[in-house]
Amino acid sequence: MKIKRYFAADMRQALQMVREEQGPDAVILSNRKVEGGVEIVAAMDYDPAAIERLAAGAPVTTSQARTSAGTPPSARSAEVTAPASSVGVGGPSPGRMAGMTASLSSGVPNAATPTPSRSPNERGNKGAVAAPSVVWTQDPSIVAMREEIKTLRGLLETQLSGLAWTEAKLRHPLRAQLLERLTRLGLAPALCRELADRVRLENDGDHNWRQALGQLARRIGVTDDDILTHGGCVALIGPTGVGKTTTVAKLAARYTLRHGPNRVALVTTDSYRIGAQQQLRTFGRILNAPVHVAHDAAELARVLEALRDKSLVLIDTAGISQRDVRLTEQLAMLQSSRVQVRTYAVLSTTAQRAALDETLRAFGNIALDGCILTKLDETASLGEALSVVAQYQLPVAYVADGQRVPEDLQPARANNLVTRSVALLKHAAVPGDEAMAFSFGSMVSSAHG
Ligand SMILES: Nc1nc2c(ncn2[C@@H]2O[C@H](COP(=O)(O)OP(=O)(O)OP(=O)(O)O)[C@@H](O)[C@H]2O)c(=O)[nH]1
Ligand SMILES: [Mg+2]
């Protein structure tokens, strides 16, 4: 990063100097009035990360300062070539510009900036240049100005989205109608746009709607009843209370009904919650399936080795919030075993899209084989869950729609999920123009993003 200080009689001349020397990409770090004119500090190859590192207290090396001797004070500049480190900042001054994050006191001689008096220690250390430090401006007027700009920006975006939506309705009414119906399904704006883009629009709203639903079904992958067909070692992971243990019981019971007794074993890694093991033990007793507890990776490996003769081993994990640090521990445990474990995320369809998205991001380190959608009987909309599985290209293995073991579990079918999602529409409110404008704004920004 190259930092340079410019002095000129007025702001126009100073900016002209910056533009001529550093080009249009230069970043103005500060400007202020000084005796005889104005002073601008500009940077080329501006590196915000370096500024942040400095703010975090990273070590700072001394700056090389070169003043342009002999240049008249009315138009002179001082240059500092810094390895992103010679940036130092004085306290906030009223002349600083709103967009600026820090200003300089780089050790460059500057008549306008009084040199701060040094401590006895600093004076004793003759050769050293005082390490500059960054002070992020907390000037109340600048903070208030930033807030105001943010509010204005929000207002402007809302207004523009509203105008864009009104225009879209006038110019492409069929497409607008389709986007409206897809939005009612609870689908993410980006997915609504993608589906609408794939439809060859005809002058028949219902035809367009059917085409879009067909496209949606194509975006949902399924695993074709793989757990109950092939067995193996299967772990269910997911946030608290989504139905992991109940689904383990449903799968175990169905497998026993289909393939006969003594073929299933249950394992729990939940050593956090009182009662969690007891819940699984109760199911195990009813199903006549052994239940094992694994407290750590070594124990899990031992248990899985010992259960090699079982054709289905279901691992119930602790329900841990996606923000809990213990989640990594649980995921690492599943991955450490020599026995191949297939992992499925259990997702409640009653959760918000942002929460589902956060959950799947938290599982980013583990290769998921699919997901199980639960609580379809309770949800008001399936669009949120379908958007997330489409976005993550995560095949759906089963859907659970009630508490009954084992009745309320079915292998997932894409068409059924879409049909069910449409059936829920009668409960969904028609999005008003304001909501559609907001959603349309996101569709447009996702298209450019
Ligand atoms: N309505 C409805 N309730 C369900 C469904 N699946 C599970 N439940 C209920 O949800 C509650 C929590 O289920 P659990 O199986 O204990 O959930 P979990 O994910 O194991 O919970 P933790 O171990 O605490 O994280 C219980 O009351 C279940 O009966 C479903 O598909 N529909
Ligand atoms: Mg549980």
Side-chain angles (χ1 to χ4, degrees), residues 244-245 270 273 279 316-317:
K244 296 178 295 298
T245 308
D270 194 345
R273 199 167 53 86
Q279 189 188 4
D316 184 21
T317 60

Side-chain angles (χ1 to χ4, degrees), residues 81-387:
T81 306
S85 60
S86 62
V87 188
V89 175
S93 76
R96 291 203 183 121
M97 296 169 77
M100 144 193 112
T101 50
S103 73
L104 298 176
S105 81
S106 53
V108 180
N110 175 8
T113 314
T115 312
S117 62
R118 295 188 175 183
S119 71
N121 270 352
E122 284 173 303
R123 270 188 235 118
N125 188 2
K126 277 185 197 159
V129 175
S133 64
V134 174
V135 177
W136 299 94
T137 180
Q138 290 301 324
D139 185 330
S141 59
I142 290 178
V143 172
M145 207 186 316
R146 276 198 203 120
E147 281 307 311
E148 208 161 315
I149 289 171
K150 223 159 71 182
T151 313
L152 284 172
R153 193 183 158 163
L155 277 174
L156 197 62
E157 278 173 1
T158 311
Q159 293 288 322
L160 289 177
S161 298
L163 287 174
W165 174 239
T166 309
E167 198 192 323
K169 280 207 299 189
L170 285 172
R171 290 180 56 181
H172 309 286
L174 288 166
R175 184 178 152 86
Q177 184 198 39
L178 183 58
L179 287 172
E180 216 161 23
R181 292 178 88 170
L182 289 168
T183 303
R184 276 184 72 201
L185 283 183
L187 298 172
L191 183 60
C192 293
R193 186 180 172 278
E194 188 197 313
L195 297 175
D197 283 348
R198 284 168 192 257
V199 171
R200 200 193 292 255
L201 291 170
E202 290 188 11
N203 206 3
D204 173 355
D206 287 340
H207 164 88
N208 298 336
W209 176 233
R210 281 193 300 276
Q211 295 290 313
L213 294 179
Q215 292 295 340
L216 174 60
R218 249 166 256 148
R219 290 287 271 110
I220 302 164
V222 293
T223 66
D224 285 330
D225 199 15
D226 61 331
I227 299 177
L228 295 180
T229 307
H230 305 297
C233 197
V234 170
L236 301 192
I237 60 173
T240 47
V242 289
K244 296 178 295 298
T245 308
T246 312
T247 307
V248 160
K250 288 175 182 173
L251 287 168
R254 289 214 161 207
Y255 194 85
T256 306
L257 286 172
R258 199 184 290 184
H259 300 278
N262 303 322
R263 306 183 62 141
V264 179
L266 309 179
V267 179
T268 176
T269 62
D270 194 345
S271 47
Y272 302 113
R273 199 167 53 86
I274 302 166
Q277 295 170 13
Q278 199 46 50
Q279 189 188 4
L280 199 67
R281 281 190 201 288
T282 308
F283 283 129
R285 220 174 13 253
I286 296 166
L287 300 168
N288 198 22
V291 177
H292 298 265
V293 181
H295 293 95
D296 54 30
E299 201 170 358
L300 181 66
R302 270 199 305 280
V303 168
L304 294 184
E305 282 292 334
L307 292 174
R308 274 186 183 276
D309 62 321
K310 296 290 180 189
S311 40
L312 176 65
V313 177
L314 290 162
I315 306 172
D316 184 21
T317 60
I320 294 180
S321 145
Q322 57 270 25
R323 294 175 204 162
D324 194 320
V325 287
R326 292 174 305 173
L327 181 67
T328 324
E329 217 174 88
Q330 285 271 302
L331 298 184
M333 205 165 154
L334 296 174
Q335 285 175 310
S336 64
S337 159
R338 270 192 294 153
V339 176
Q340 202 212 341
V341 178
R342 301 206 311 284
T343 312
Y344 294 76
V346 181
L347 305 172
S348 168
T349 52
T350 58
Q352 296 159 337
R353 191 165 58 230
L356 294 169
D357 181 58
E358 193 182 2
T359 300
L360 290 179
R361 266 190 287 121
F363 296 158
N365 292 339
I366 196 159
L368 290 172
D369 293 87
C371 68
I372 295 171
L373 300 179
T374 60
K375 310 203 179 183
L376 268 78
D377 55 314
E378 283 185 359
T379 192
S381 149
L382 268 180
E384 284 74 10
L386 296 187
S387 298

